[in-house]
Amino acid sequence: MTSHTFAPQGPLTGTISVPGDKSISHRALMFAGLAVGQSRITGLLEGEDVLATAAAMRAFGAQIERGADGIWTVCGAGLGSLLEPKLALDMGNSGTSTRLLMGLVASHGITVTFTGDASLSGRPMRRVIDPLAQMGASFEASAGGTLPIMLRGIAPAVPITYRLPVASAQVKSAVLLAGLNTPGITRVIEPVATRDHTERMLAGFGATIEVGNENGETVISIHGDADLKPMDVTVPADPSSAAFFMVAATIVPGSDLIIRNVGLNPTRAGLLHVLRQMGADIGELNPREVGGEPVADLRVRHAQLTGIDVDPSLAPAMIDEFPVLFVAAALASGTTRTTGLDELRVKESDRLAAMATALTLAGVRVDEYDDGLTIHGRSGEPLPGTPEGASVATRLDHRIAMSMAVAGLASINGVCVDDTSPINTSFPTFMGLLDEAAA
Ligand code: S3P
């Protein structure tokens, strides 16, 4: 464990680039690892979670190499031709790797054991086991439906129509990935829209995938027994990583920061919308398309925020951004209420409990409810910070560490975080960029 105190800092200025999108990076490696031929990936996030996906795809037979220029080259194993890994696959902290790869394995005739760290081993996997078992795969899971899990895939699997019981892009993607190697048409019905990178990118890799609407619900159909063709992918910067700098520049007086090339897919852009509703000053410069995704450079200037009731229907489009939104709310004038956030309790940590405890320790008034937090804003007054000798518990959760780092910038005494190492799962350059922007 590496503890660190994030001290109050002057304005964030200049121009920064945050790393590639985590969701898109996972998918680029997986789909390129299934295509026959060579794909190239530019801007891949080189964080631990994505490297876990790369290691797994290698174990399935894909050849994956990083060039000296930072471009990754992937020669796929071929859909239907995955090798059975000799050892258990250690997924580390990565829920996305685990759930999506379980989908992939489910429709191949191989047996794979998935393991993970203490955080991942506590997270619910029945949400993927249920649909994949309906398709014919079998599972030996630990008590409570958690990792370690041994998965016996089956080929051919059975196509299903599955209505998502929770709004989850990981579950949606797991079923679609299983459907890729399953004869017939596998359908996912999505009552609430979630991030659609799988759909966009699979179409680019040559899969036959249709997205329609029935009675107000999204219906995604994937045609099985597919062949994927290689493709070059350019990964835009991760809006979930940019979020920390959007909030930091908003709450630190005098800031004027440009964040380059940020992905603004509407299924991810909820935080931008909510911050603007609260009064943030965020401009979009040079809007364009990169790798089939809308992107822009964001110009973020300090602004005094006002608390709001956050519309729960926006939650899926900003599901990973609530920890840092709570920090923004702590600096706002008035009260911010969030509801409908049960899913935050089963992320890398229980993010409602972790952030309520962390912000309270740093001197913020917070009320915790089953499905959300109410934050009593300090009207721009800096937070007291963590008391001498005390530190925020990160709970193996990168986003708790980075959110409380941002809180430290707008504090009197700084915020001590007990363990910064989880930051490497998604944003290895975070600490350096923070120094750079505040220099
Ligand atoms: C992700 C989906 C979301 C998100 C996670 C990445 C993805 O999880 O929280 O960080 O890449 O599909 P859920 O599907 O559990 O909502």
Side-chain angles (χ1 to χ4, degrees), residues 23-223:
S23 293
I24 295 176
S25 295
H26 282 300
R27 288 158 172 81
L29 283 172
M30 289 179 197
F31 304 162
L34 294 173
V36 177
Q38 192 186 78
S39 301
R40 285 155 54 88
I41 310 171
T42 306
L44 188 84
L45 166 63
E46 295 175 354
E48 288 167 1
D49 280 11
V50 173
L51 298 180
T53 289
M57 292 310 297
R58 284 193 184 108
F60 292 137
Q63 286 168 29
I64 303 180
E65 269 156 37
R66 180 191 193 278
D69 52 3
I71 297 177
W72 288 66
T73 305
V74 181
C75 287
L79 198 56
S81 307
L82 299 190
L83 304 179
E84 183 168 280
K86 293 193 176 63
L87 302 172
L89 296 183
D90 181 1
M91 299 286 96
N93 191 252
S94 181
T96 309
S97 312
T98 309
R99 295 192 176 121
L100 269 60
L101 291 174
M102 281 171 59
L104 187 57
V105 169
S107 59
H108 285 76
I110 56 176
T111 298
V112 179
T113 299
F114 293 90
T115 63
D117 72 4
S119 154
L120 185 58
S121 301
R123 298 183 65 187
M125 294 297 156
R126 285 215 176 100
R127 53 183 59 197
V128 281
I129 293 176
D130 287 348
L132 299 177
Q134 285 178 29
M135 296 181 78
S138 48
F139 295 83
E140 276 171 40
S142 303
T146 55
L147 298 190
I149 288 176
M150 191 173 78
L151 193 181
R152 266 193 203 89
I154 187 165
V158 184
I160 58 169
T161 294
Y162 191 69
R163 191 166 189 279
L164 292 179
V166 279
S168 166
Q170 292 177 354
V171 178
K172 167 175 70 177
S173 302
V175 176
L176 293 174
L177 278 177
L180 267 182
N181 197 43
T182 301
I185 298 177
T186 297
R187 294 177 359 129
V188 178
I189 303 172
E190 199 178 39
V192 180
T194 64
R195 64 191 69 193
D196 62 358
H197 308 301
T198 296
E199 298 89 308
R200 286 175 188 246
M201 206 188 290
L202 272 181
F205 275 94
T208 306
I209 182 162
E210 287 134 17
V211 181
N213 195 293
E214 282 172 24
N215 311 317
E217 300 181 326
T218 309
V219 181
I220 307 132
S221 309
I222 183 105
H223 294 240

Side-chain angles (χ1 to χ4, degrees), residues 31 42 61 94 121 145 168 175 183 268 273 282 285 303 312 315 352 363 379 417:
F31 304 162
T42 306
S94 181
S121 301
S168 166
V175 176
R268 299 286 298 282
H273 184 73
I282 306 177
L285 313 176
L352 294 179
S379 304
V417 168

Side-chain angles (χ1 to χ4, degrees), residues 412-437:
I412 297 167
N413 296 320
V415 166
C416 181
V417 168
D418 71 345
D419 188 9
T420 54
S421 56
I423 294 173
N424 291 325
T425 61
S426 70
F427 198 164
T429 54
F430 175 75
M431 310 270 268
L433 280 182
L434 210 50
D435 288 344
E436 191 183 314

Side-chain angles (χ1 to χ4, degrees), residues 187-393:
R187 294 177 359 129
V188 178
I189 303 172
E190 199 178 39
V192 180
T194 64
R195 64 191 69 193
D196 62 358
H197 308 301
T198 296
E199 298 89 308
R200 286 175 188 246
M201 206 188 290
L202 272 181
F205 275 94
T208 306
I209 182 162
E210 287 134 17
V211 181
N213 195 293
E214 282 172 24
N215 311 317
E217 300 181 326
T218 309
V219 181
I220 307 132
S221 309
I222 183 105
H223 294 240
D225 249 348
D227 278 323
L228 297 190
K229 58 178 173 48
M231 166 175 145
D232 289 349
V233 180
T234 302
V235 182
D238 196 326
S240 301
S241 297
F244 301 107
F245 285 91
M246 285 161 62
V247 170
T250 296
I251 64 177
V252 176
S255 296
D256 185 351
L257 183 71
I258 291 181
I259 315 170
R260 250 192 248 117
N261 204 32
V262 181
L264 292 178
N265 180 316
T267 62
R268 299 286 298 282
L271 179 72
L272 189 60
H273 184 73
V274 168
L275 286 177
R276 282 180 177 150
Q277 270 187 315
M278 295 173 80
D281 180 354
I282 306 177
E284 286 166 43
L285 313 176
N286 190 16
R288 56 203 183 272
E289 204 169 277
V290 170
E293 298 273 345
V295 306
D297 303 327
L298 298 182
R299 180 174 183 189
V300 190
R301 281 178 276 198
H302 167 69
Q304 177 55 49
L305 301 179
T306 306
I308 59 166
D309 290 355
V310 178
D311 178 356
S313 73
L314 287 170
M318 55 178 293
I319 196 67
D320 292 334
E321 283 68 79
F322 281 96
V324 80
L325 174 71
F326 297 144
V327 174
L331 272 297
S333 55
T335 301
T336 298
R337 289 182 197 81
T338 59
T339 51
L341 302 181
D342 320 66
E343 273 295 302
L344 289 200
R345 295 210 180 269
V346 291
K347 294 294 180 187
E348 286 83 329
S349 69
D350 173 344
R351 287 183 172 160
L352 294 179
M355 285 306 293
T357 308
L359 284 173
T360 303
L361 184 69
V364 183
R365 271 182 57 219
V366 181
D367 307 320
E368 182 181 346
Y369 299 96
D370 283 351
D371 70 337
L373 299 185
T374 294
I375 312 273
H376 302 277
R378 299 176 53 82
S379 304
E381 283 298 309
L383 325 181
T386 45
E388 187 69 38
S391 59
V392 163

